[in-house]
Amino acid sequence: MLLIRKLWVIQKTLKTMLDLNQFSHSHDSLEIIHRGHLSCVRKTFHSDLERAQRNVAKQRQFRPIYTGTAKVAAAEVIEFHMRSDSAELLMPYIEGITGHMFPVHATRNVAHTLSASLSTLLYAELTESREALVETSLFRDKLSSVSEATQDLALKQLVDNCTAVVDRFPAELLMPIGPCHGDLTLSNLILDPASGITLIDFLETFLETPLQDVAKLKQDFVYGWSFRKDPPALVIKAEILCHHHLPQAIVQIERMYPDQVRLLTMMTLARIAPYVTDSVTQRWLVRSLTDCLGATPQ
Ligand SMILES: Nc1ncnc2c1ncn2[C@@H]1O[C@H](COP(=O)(O)OP(=O)(O)O)[C@@H](O)[C@H]1O
Ligand SMILES: [Mg+2]
C-alpha cells in the first residue's frame, strides 16, 4: 500500500515538473513527449489555426546565425499538422534558461551571452531589411481598437494619450521593413549560457520590421515585463543586469530610428492593455506607459 502511494507521489511530482503549461502565455497547450532518446515539446493550437500555420512557417524559415561569440537559431520544426479544430507543432525540447528564470540563473556571463546574441540577431534582421515609408494612420487605427477593447479606465486614458502622440507624428515615417521574430520577449527564447539562443513562438505582426523586436526587447530590458511578478530581490538583480547588458544593437538602432522605436515601444505596451487581469500587471503597465509617453517629445 505504502509502495503504491509512493509511486503515485513520484508520478504526480514528475507530471508537475513536466507541465510546461504553467509557463504558457496563451490558450495553446504544451506537452512533453518522448520519442526514443529525444524529448520533444508538442504545442497544440486551438484557435486561429491559419495564423498558427503562418507563425510556424516563420519559425521554419529562420536561418541560423553564427558569429564568433553568439549563435541564434530557431527551434527545429520536427512536425506540423493541421486538423479540423486544432493544429500541432512538434519541436525538440531545448535545454536552457528562459523567461522569468533569467534573474534566478543570471550571472554577468549569462547576461553577456544573451546581450551579444540578441545584438547579432537584430543586426542580421536590419541587414536584410529595406527602408520604406509607413503611414502613421496604421498605428492610430490599431490604437483606437486597443482603446475600444480596454476596460480599465486608467489604462484606456493612457492608450488615448498614445493616440494623441501619434497625431503629432508626420503622416508617414521611414522604417526598415524586413524580418522579425514578432514577439521577442524573454519567454520566447531559450538561452544556453555557453553558446547562444534558440527562438520559439514566432508571431506574424501587423508590420514586419526589426523595430518590433527592438520594442519587445525594450519591454523586458527597460521596463522589466518578464520580471514584474518576481520577488523584489530578483527584480533588483534583473534590473541591474538589464541596465548593464542592454544589447548594443538596441542603442544603435534607437539612434538611427528614434521616433519609430518610440512609436513601436508605445504600441507594444499599449496593446497589453485589453488583456490585463491582475493588479500587478495593471500597475506595471500604468508605470511603463507613463514613462514611455514622458519620453516622447510633446
Ligand atoms: N521547445 C521547447 N523547449 C523547451 N521549452 C519550451 C519549448 N517550447 C516551449 N517551451 C517552454 O514553454 C513556454 C511557453 O511556450 P510558448 O511556445 O512560448 O507558448 P505560449 O504561446 O503560451 O507563449 C516557454 O516560455 C518555455 O518555457
Ligand atoms: Mg510564448
Side-chain angles (χ1 to χ4, degrees):
M1 191 63 192
L2 194 65
L3 186 66
I4 292 175
R5 180 153 174 80
K6 263 192 180 162
L7 276 174
W8 180 80
V9 170
I10 291 171
Q11 207 182 21
K12 196 165 172 350
T13 315
L14 259 178
K15 234 185 145 130
T16 322
M17 276 167 54
L18 295 179
D19 186 7
L20 281 180
N21 290 304
Q22 57 190 311
F23 306 125
S24 172
H25 301 92
S26 63
H27 299 300
D28 308 323
S29 48
L30 294 148
E31 200 186 342
I32 295 198
I33 59 167
H34 301 285
R35 287 200 161 182
H37 294 298
L38 189 65
S39 295
C40 301
V41 172
R42 181 162 59 203
K43 184 169 181 179
T44 309
F45 302 89
H46 301 285
S47 58
D48 213 345
L49 305 186
E50 303 278 318
R51 192 173 189 205
Q53 190 172 33
R54 291 195 296 273
N55 294 340
V56 172
K58 240 178 144 175
Q59 180 168 339
R60 259 200 178 118
Q61 280 155 16
F62 186 88
R63 294 279 152 260
I65 311 162
Y66 301 94
T67 68
T69 49
K71 178 209 86 182
V72 184
E76 182 196 350
V77 175
I78 300 175
E79 282 171 17
F80 181 71
H81 297 295
M82 285 284 267
R83 309 204 193 286
S84 56
D85 57 355
S86 67
E88 261 179 32
L89 164 65
L90 192 71
M91 306 169 270
Y93 173 79
I94 314 283
E95 211 177 288
I97 310 171
T98 180
H100 68 286
M101 296 306 285
F102 274 101
V104 181
H105 295 289
T107 56
R108 264 185 294 170
N109 280 348
V110 168
H112 176 77
T113 307
L114 175 67
S115 179
S117 307
L118 289 171
S119 277
T120 300
L121 171 65
L122 293 175
Y123 286 134
E125 288 177 349
L126 199 64
T127 308
E128 283 185 45
S129 303
R130 57 175 176 78
E131 282 189 336
L133 284 168
V134 176
E135 292 183 13
T136 35
S137 59
L138 179 70
F139 301 97
R140 200 177 304 115
D141 295 348
K142 277 262 159 218
L143 282 170
S144 105
S145 56
V146 170
S147 170
E148 244 169 66
T150 303
Q151 303 291 322
D152 183 286
L153 290 180
L155 288 176
K156 201 182 182 66
Q157 182 58 57
L158 283 167
V159 174
D160 292 341
N161 293 352
C162 293
T163 312
V165 171
V166 175
D167 285 340
R168 288 195 286 275
F169 277 115
E172 291 179 322
L173 280 173
L174 202 60
M175 295 221 181
I177 300 301
C180 64
H181 173 283
D183 190 13
L184 196 54
T185 81
L186 293 180
S187 58
N188 287 336
L189 60 88
I190 300 167
L191 177 80
D192 173 349
S195 58
I197 54 180
T198 304
L199 305 174
I200 54 169
D201 206 10
F202 285 69
L203 188 72
E204 176 190 64
T205 68
F206 70 101
L207 183 68
E208 293 284 302
T209 163
L211 303 189
Q212 295 274 16
D213 288 351
V214 171
K216 270 280 156 89
L217 287 173
K218 282 194 74 182
Q219 181 180 286
D220 271 327
F221 276 84
V222 177
Y223 296 112
W225 159 259
S226 294
F227 324 115
R228 70 194 186 285
K229 292 184 180 171
D230 283 350
L234 280 184
V235 174
I236 291 170
K237 186 181 173 198
E239 276 177 6
I240 290 172
L241 283 171
C242 285
H243 178 78
H244 289 293
H245 296 276
L246 180 70
Q248 185 57 28
I250 294 187
V251 180
Q252 283 209 348
I253 294 173
E254 250 188 314
R255 272 194 208 126
M256 294 163 73
Y257 300 102
D259 289 344
Q260 296 85 333
V261 170
R262 236 176 262 140
L263 182 59
L264 274 156
T265 308
M266 220 166 59
M267 289 291 304
T268 298
L269 293 172
R271 291 174 77 193
I272 300 171
Y275 306 101
V276 174
T277 50
D278 65 274
S279 59
V280 174
T281 306
Q282 197 271 357
R283 283 198 300 274
W284 171 86
L285 191 54
V286 167
R287 220 177 29 247
S288 305
L289 260 178
T290 306
D291 179 273
C292 192
L293 279 159
T296 307
Q298 304 290 309

